[in-house]
Amino acid sequence: MSLFDWFGGGASKAAEAAPAVQSPEKLALYKKEWCPFCQKVSAVVRELDLELAEYDTNNPEHLQALMAGGGQRMVPCLRIEQANGDYFWLYESADIAAYLRLHFGKAS
């Protein structure tokens, strides 16, 4: 049981609505190193032993890609590449953590 299990008790509606992917290679995490919400998501990534592409939005090119694709500068943001090549952008650390646990947790 993790700290996230105390808040919300399972997958969020946003996490359940986000498209499932078969591999973490289809995911990218936009974040800032100093952001406490990003650190929470990074802890879940480590807990699940996932290797995700990570982009620090302190880099102007990464921030521009986040804004162009997701429409917001808010981090953390998980970019999910769908089978048709389109991207789905999932915001909110709790939703991202729930998504990762739902699709890549031990019970998945």
Side-chain angles (χ1 to χ4, degrees), residues 30-99:
Y30 288 80
K31 65 180 194 167
K32 291 188 181 209
E33 289 299 320
W34 54 263
C35 168
F37 300 102
C38 300
Q39 292 169 5
K40 289 178 183 180
V41 171
S42 292
V44 173
V45 170
R46 285 190 304 275
E47 171 191 320
L48 298 174
D49 198 27
L50 297 174
E51 291 188 27
L52 303 183
E54 295 186 356
Y55 299 102
D56 189 331
T57 58
N58 284 320
N59 177 320
E61 291 177 7
H62 297 162
L63 178 59
Q64 183 178 8
L66 174 64
M67 299 267 309
Q72 300 180 48
R73 65 184 315 134
M74 184 173 78
V75 290
C77 179
L78 185 67
R79 185 189 74 198
I80 304 166
E81 184 179 350
Q82 301 176 75
N84 65 3
D86 290 344
Y87 293 117
F88 182 92
W89 301 82
L90 182 62
Y91 289 90
E92 299 293 339
S93 59
D95 292 336
I96 295 169
Y99 177 87

Side-chain angles (χ1 to χ4, degrees), residues 4 20-21 25-26 40 43 51 101 105:
F4 287 107
V21 294
E25 293 175 357
K26 299 291 186 181
K40 289 178 183 180
E51 291 188 27
R101 285 203 174 94

